[in-house]
């Protein structure tokens, strides 16, 4: 069965937190994830639905994103794919879905920040059309003390 997209809801918090902690070296807390359901945010998630018996259906969260949207600008705040599901195109599908939602909301400027050491995420963003447009020095805490944030931008057609 092919994965399906839907917005996240507060009922998904347990699954989000489990995936968050598995995927991220520096995961968001449950409280921060719970704050992502405020008015200025929009979300998307990818689920594998399995029919186990005639009446029994289960869902597995493959990945999700959380973004904010203000006027014509959006920042991608979080994106992750379950570690055992990475490398199969789900991250790219999530960003494509996110950009489609941006277009529907007439958003033209898409921003994000990513750890300088996170080469997989930077490669994904570049593959989806983002370009680096600056750095914030020593922005994130890291095992080595601090590391830079790479700022990336993608402009959508009006
Ligand atoms: C970043 C992340 C979302 C990518 O998800 P994914 O499902 O593995 O990515 P995809 O399979 O869709 O890959 C799409 C493209 O991204 C790039 N990419 C993804 N993983 C990569 C890796 N480990 N190394 C290099 N490039 C990579 C490639 O360009 C790839 O295209 P290709 O398959 O044609 O080569 C995933 O690795 C993840 O959840 N990481 C932990 C959380 C995180 O760092 N989030 C981002 C910061 S908030």
């Amino acid at each position: 069965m092919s994965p399906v997209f839907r917005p996240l809801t507060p009922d998904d918090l347990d699954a989000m937190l489990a995936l968050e902690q598995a995927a991220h070296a520096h995961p968001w807390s449950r409280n921060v994830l719970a704050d992502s359901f405020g008015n200025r945010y929009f979300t998307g998630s990818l689920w594998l639905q399995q029919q186990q018996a005639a009446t029994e259906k289960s869902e597995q969260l493959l990945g999700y994103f959380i973004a904010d949207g203000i006027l014509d600008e959006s920042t991608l705040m979080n994106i992750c794919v379950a570690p055992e599901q990475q490398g199969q195109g789900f991250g790219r599908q999530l960003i494509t879905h996110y950009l489609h939602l941006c277009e529907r909301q007439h958003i033209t400027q898409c921003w994000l920040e990513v750890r300088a050491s996170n080469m997989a995420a930077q490669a994904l963003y570049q593959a989806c059309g983002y370009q680096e447009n600056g750095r914030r020095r020593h922005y994130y805490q890291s095992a080595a003390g601090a590391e830079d944030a790479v700022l990336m931008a993608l402009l959508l057609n009006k």
Side-chain angles (χ1 to χ4, degrees), residues 23-24 79-81 86-92 118 120-121 123-125 127:
H24 281 287
I79 180 168
C80 54
V81 170
Q86 291 176 7
Q88 300 178 68
F90 294 133
R92 194 191 289 263
N118 193 344
L124 169 66
Y125 301 141

Side-chain angles (χ1 to χ4, degrees), residues 11-75:
D11 288 344
D12 299 324
L13 260 179
D14 287 344
M16 290 166 67
L17 185 62
L19 200 159
E20 179 76 17
Q21 291 177 341
H24 281 287
H26 305 272
W28 286 9
S29 68
R30 187 182 185 90
N31 284 346
V32 173
L33 289 172
D35 282 345
S36 310
F37 298 108
N39 271 347
R40 56 184 273 197
Y41 299 106
F42 61 101
T43 63
S45 57
L46 199 50
W47 297 80
L48 192 60
Q49 296 183 329
Q50 286 152 336
Q51 189 82 39
Q52 289 176 323
T55 54
E56 218 177 299
K57 217 164 140 187
S58 73
E59 283 189 318
Q60 182 195 350
L61 180 58
L62 299 176
Y64 61 84
F65 72 80
I66 297 165
D68 73 3
I70 301 170
L71 300 175
D72 61 350
E73 293 190 31
S74 173
T75 300

Side-chain angles (χ1 to χ4, degrees), residues 82-127:
E84 71 279 7
Q85 302 288 351
Q86 291 176 7
Q88 300 178 68
F90 294 133
R92 194 191 289 263
Q93 285 184 44
L94 280 164
I95 295 210
T96 303
H97 184 67
Y98 159 67
L99 295 174
H100 178 64
L101 293 179
C102 285
E103 279 172 349
R104 279 182 29 194
Q105 295 177 63
H106 306 291
I107 285 167
T108 55
Q109 300 174 51
C110 299
W111 309 98
L112 61 81
E113 292 167 2
V114 55
R115 285 175 182 267
S117 62
N118 193 344
M119 301 314 291
Q122 288 173 58
L124 169 66
Y125 301 141
Q126 278 165 4

